[in-house]
Amino acid sequence: MAPTLRGADILARALARAGVRHLFSLSGNHVMPVYDAALEAGLAIVHVRHEGAAVHMADAWGRLTGEPGVALVTGGPGHANAAGALYTALAAESPLVLLSGHAPLAELGRGSFQEMAQAELAAPVTKRSSTAVEPAALGAEVTRALGTARAGRPGPVHLSLPLDVLEARVEEDAVVPAGVAAPAPRALAETDADAVLAALAAARRPFVITGPVMAHARGLEDCARLAAATGAPLVCMESPRGVNDPCLGAFAEVLREADLVALIGKQPDFTLRFAAPPAVHADCRFVVIDPDRAALERALKTLKPAHRVVFSGIADTRAAARALAARARPHAARDWAEAARSAIEFRPPQWAGLASRPGEPLHPVEVGRAVQQVLDRASEPLLISDGGEFGQWAQATVTAPARVINGPAGSIGSALPFALAARLARPAATVVAMLGDGTAGFHLAEFDTAVRAGLPFVAVVGNDACWNAEHQIQLKAYGRGRAHGCELLPARYDQAAAALGAHGEHVSRAADLPDALERAIASGRPACVNVTIDRVPAPVVTRGAGQRGGVEH
């Protein structure tokens, strides 16, 4: 008799051949054959406490390695729990594959256990969403999914795995070849690159703006090479705060002065105020390069009238950046580049002297100052930032060569899963996650995962006992007397983390924070440093008048 393989074995072997090392997963009935097949295939399973956390971990893995992370969840409610996290990855242009168990094909339409239209549910938040039907083709399908996740504008891909497809046996010689998981990037033609570079050279105040994919893996190195080669100032936008991203300092002020903006893999969307005045000067011209034709057409509609666009073309973002850098000559407007750099690096000098009084909660700037000292001493620092107002203070006050943030989706709750995946992707890194107390509540149980998996990191929770982003909206829009529904308890997240096996620290005085952070790192365990902070709005950095402490209110 010819040897046979289960569909699950074909799937697992294809994942291993494609270089996948870890599956971020929560177990369930429909995926047990994959768990079994993973043993022979050498796939390690990181078993989480919530399906959404598995997707967030795959997301962070994709951003930090450039290779798609793979999440494996069960069908029905497991798939539904995972689907919400896909939007964060989609907006952040993060490559991942979600594999979801599924009711058997033979039982569909008859009320099968956990039967659900899973592919349809995931379709709006993925690049491609489908359901496997042929056991012999499972290897080819998952290889295709990995390639689709990486190609063009990277993003999440979903494949549902019916139980009977996973359990069916196929003769080895009938298995469909898996193919190659890495399609060649679409390059920018030399003539097109020269046209873009000519437009940059003709401008007096050019700006290059890239999308979030350039903040992943080695994308920042490509950004640095492009900026050096052209001499034009460059920013990578990956925050829902857009032009008012405090990480970019007073960027909004200099953007208004630009006479040409080259959008490389960056849409003129809400983050750029749709490229309309006053965010961008009415006479500003644009270059638009995008990997996706539909996205390019949408951008061109946004940028009407047509004379505003001096060049448009289709190319993968990183490939376009490399092509431009290879053929560029430095721009002559050095004064403009220096002015832009100075604005982006600007932080209000008042921040250096901000300090809480005895008995008062810490200002977020004090927390950022202490965390920066920790990261400055680390040989391989890595920052995770998530949350509303505290997350913005973290990004404004703390820098690291590598970071993962919640991204343009504006979602929260991903910090702890991000930190676990970061520690797994970069085992030598000092990983510090800064997150608000609202965010902490989403996936606090993942401290259990971190302890079981032996993944030490430090979570710094800014605790103002409030959904402060929404609270600040209420104060501004409706007044203090109508602010409600945003209160939280001043909970001891450090104690909750300790109950899950982590190291816990509680800090209510600024003087105690540096030592608490050092103890957390020295513990060699997952750690939670719970810091009582003041309930202040996120910064909008400006160098103009009408401000308090360099923060617009």
Side-chain angles (χ1 to χ4, degrees):
M1 180 178 294
T4 62
L5 294 171
R6 293 172 300 176
D9 298 313
I10 297 169
L11 175 84
R13 290 184 181 189
L15 287 169
R17 279 196 300 269
V20 174
R21 290 179 281 160
H22 301 90
L23 302 178
F24 305 107
S25 182
L26 201 158
S27 59
N29 295 27
H30 293 126
V31 293
M32 286 298 94
V34 182
Y35 270 55
D36 186 63
L39 293 172
E40 278 72 30
L43 299 173
I45 293 177
V46 181
H47 192 257
V48 302
R49 297 297 301 271
H50 190 281
E51 291 89 353
V55 174
H56 286 316
M57 290 184 73
D59 177 354
W61 180 274
R63 297 195 214 182
L64 289 167
T65 68
E67 298 298 326
V70 180
L72 173 67
V73 304
T74 196
H79 173 74
N81 282 346
L86 291 170
Y87 182 65
T88 300
L90 183 70
E93 302 179 7
S94 180
L96 69 85
V97 173
L98 171 63
L99 301 175
S100 299
H102 190 279
L105 293 178
E107 296 179 0
L108 296 186
R110 300 164 57 194
S112 184
F113 176 58
Q114 296 184 339
E115 181 177 344
M116 179 187 290
Q118 295 181 184
E120 292 84 348
L121 179 68
V125 286
T126 55
K127 294 181 65 178
R128 184 173 183 271
S129 184
S130 60
T131 302
V133 295
E134 292 290 340
L138 274 175
E141 287 205 55
V142 78
T143 302
R144 178 186 178 191
L146 292 166
T148 301
R150 290 184 57 186
R153 173 174 279 110
V157 175
H158 163 251
L159 178 63
S160 269
L161 307 169
L163 182 59
D164 49 359
V165 175
L166 292 173
E167 292 182 332
R169 289 198 165 269
V170 178
E171 292 186 1
E172 283 197 60
D173 57 5
V175 174
V176 177
V180 179
R186 285 173 292 185
L188 187 67
E190 290 184 354
T191 54
D192 289 342
D194 290 342
V196 172
L197 293 168
L200 285 170
R204 295 176 57 200
R205 297 178 301 279
F207 235 115
V208 178
I209 303 178
T210 72
V213 70
M214 296 299 281
H216 304 171
R218 304 183 71 87
L220 290 177
E221 296 177 11
D222 291 332
C223 286
R225 280 192 290 267
L226 179 57
T230 63
L234 181 151
V235 297
C236 176
M237 297 186 71
E238 58 167 342
S239 167
R241 305 280 171 139
V243 297
N244 287 329
D245 176 2
C247 176
L248 298 178
F251 164 62
E253 295 179 10
V254 288
L255 178 63
R256 289 193 288 265
E257 301 175 25
D259 60 356
L260 178 82
V261 173
L263 299 174
I264 303 179
K266 176 73 185 87
Q267 286 283 293
D269 56 13
F270 76 99
T271 62
L272 276 172
R273 308 287 174 86
F274 305 104
V280 178
H281 195 280
D283 294 330
C284 184
R285 298 295 183 262
F286 292 86
V287 166
V288 187
I289 300 172
D290 200 277
D292 179 70
R293 184 172 297 279
L296 180 65
E297 292 174 355
R298 183 170 63 245
L300 296 179
K301 288 180 181 178
T302 300
L303 294 171
K304 284 185 175 180
H307 72 264
R308 297 181 74 195
V309 180
V310 299
F311 175 87
S312 65
I314 294 177
D316 287 0
T317 304
R318 291 185 64 180
R322 290 171 178 172
L324 292 171
R327 299 180 66 81
R329 296 293 181 270
H331 191 275
R334 293 182 179 177
D335 290 345
W336 162 249
E338 176 56 28
R341 184 196 62 78
S342 177
I344 292 167
E345 292 180 356
F346 175 79
R347 297 296 184 272
Q350 299 94 321
W351 288 8
L354 280 176
S356 54
R357 296 173 182 170
E360 290 185 349
L362 281 71
H363 192 285
V365 166
E366 294 179 280
V367 183
R369 191 182 300 147
V371 170
Q372 186 67 67
Q373 292 171 356
V374 168
L375 293 178
D376 286 345
R377 292 192 294 271
S379 59
E380 188 179 344
L382 199 159
L383 173 68
I384 308 292
S385 176
D386 179 25
E389 307 305 90
F390 182 67
Q392 298 306 308
W393 279 108
Q395 293 168 47
T397 59
V398 182
T399 61
R403 74 170 193 173
V404 182
I405 69 171
N406 52 344
S411 58
I412 64 171
S414 53
L416 296 178
F418 278 178
L420 271 66
R423 195 66 172 77
L424 195 63
R426 302 194 179 180
T430 297
V431 179
V432 177
M434 299 182 70
L435 60 153
D437 52 338
T439 287
F442 278 77
H443 291 298
L444 190 68
E446 298 309 329
F447 274 107
D448 169 85
T449 305
V451 171
R452 283 185 287 106
L455 298 173
F457 70 97
V458 177
V460 179
V461 178
N463 190 342
D464 55 14
C466 185
W467 297 102
N468 194 27
E470 291 69 29
H471 178 67
Q472 296 299 329
I473 291 172
Q474 290 181 336
L475 293 179
K476 186 175 181 179
Y478 313 119
R480 188 168 298 276
R482 300 187 67 81
H484 71 116
C486 295
E487 299 292 326
L488 297 171
L489 292 174
R492 292 293 300 274
Y493 298 99
D494 55 306
Q495 293 180 344
L500 292 167
H503 176 88
E505 297 274 351
H506 180 238
V507 175
S508 58
R509 298 191 314 155
D512 297 334
L513 182 55
D515 287 345
L517 291 171
E518 289 301 325
R519 287 192 297 270
I521 292 172
S523 73
R525 295 153 55 197
C528 176
V529 181
N530 183 46
V531 185
T532 303
I533 63 168
D534 197 6
R535 197 179 287 183
V536 295
V540 177
V541 179
T542 173
R543 298 176 297 181
Q547 56 184 307
R548 290 206 306 266
V551 180
E552 202 174 70
H553 292 276

